[in-house]
Amino acid sequence: MPGKILIVEDESLIALHLKTQLEQAGVVVVGVAENADDALTLAARHLPDLVLMDIHIRGGRDGISCATELRVSHGIPAMFITAYADRETLERAKISQPPGYIYKPFLGANLAPQIEMALQ
């Protein structure tokens, strides 16, 4: 599964778990951000193929607004990894045209195929 991925997750243990799983699958993780400002800076610097984005992140902006800006500014898609499955959040998330929406907790075996499909 080739590709460069940026992780946006404010829970350090989850971010480390994601990073480890992705690197074991052969993916280059270009960075980990815990807020929208850092995510946008890293994305502009590294131009990842995909961003794995938590919806509720630190700072004044959430992952949905960050994902929308990444798509508009850089053409970078963001796949959501979130614990929020309510209809309102899902509808808001659709605005950013995500290639996927993964619910936490997730299994590593389920993550890899979804990311591979999103990278296509």
Side-chain angles (χ1 to χ4, degrees):
M1 172 180 19
K4 297 187 303 184
I5 292 183
L6 171 63
I7 298 170
V8 184
E9 170 62 64
D10 61 355
E11 294 183 39
S12 59
L13 288 177
I14 294 173
L16 179 61
H17 179 66
L18 279 170
K19 184 177 186 293
T20 301
Q21 286 188 334
L22 292 170
E23 289 174 342
Q24 288 175 347
V27 174
V28 174
V29 176
V30 298
V32 176
E34 62 180 34
N35 61 59
D37 292 337
D38 291 347
L40 293 166
T41 299
L42 286 169
R45 184 179 305 138
H46 298 287
L47 297 175
D49 301 305
L50 179 69
V51 175
L52 294 182
M53 176 79 68
D54 189 10
I55 289 179
H56 292 278
I57 54 178
R58 290 192 174 100
R61 296 173 28 193
D62 70 2
I64 295 171
S65 68
C66 183
T68 301
E69 187 169 340
L70 285 168
R71 182 173 285 282
V72 170
S73 298
H74 303 291
I76 301 170
M79 175 183 284
F80 292 110
I81 297 182
T82 183
Y84 295 88
D86 62 279
R87 176 58 49 193
E88 181 181 338
T89 301
L90 182 60
E91 290 302 319
R92 281 190 56 235
K94 287 181 186 179
I95 294 168
S96 68
Q97 303 173 340
Y101 197 94
I102 300 169
Y103 296 112
K104 293 178 188 175
F106 57 89
L107 299 174
N110 295 338
L111 184 63
Q114 291 185 49
I115 290 173
E116 187 171 345
M117 294 300 291
L119 287 169
Q120 295 302 311

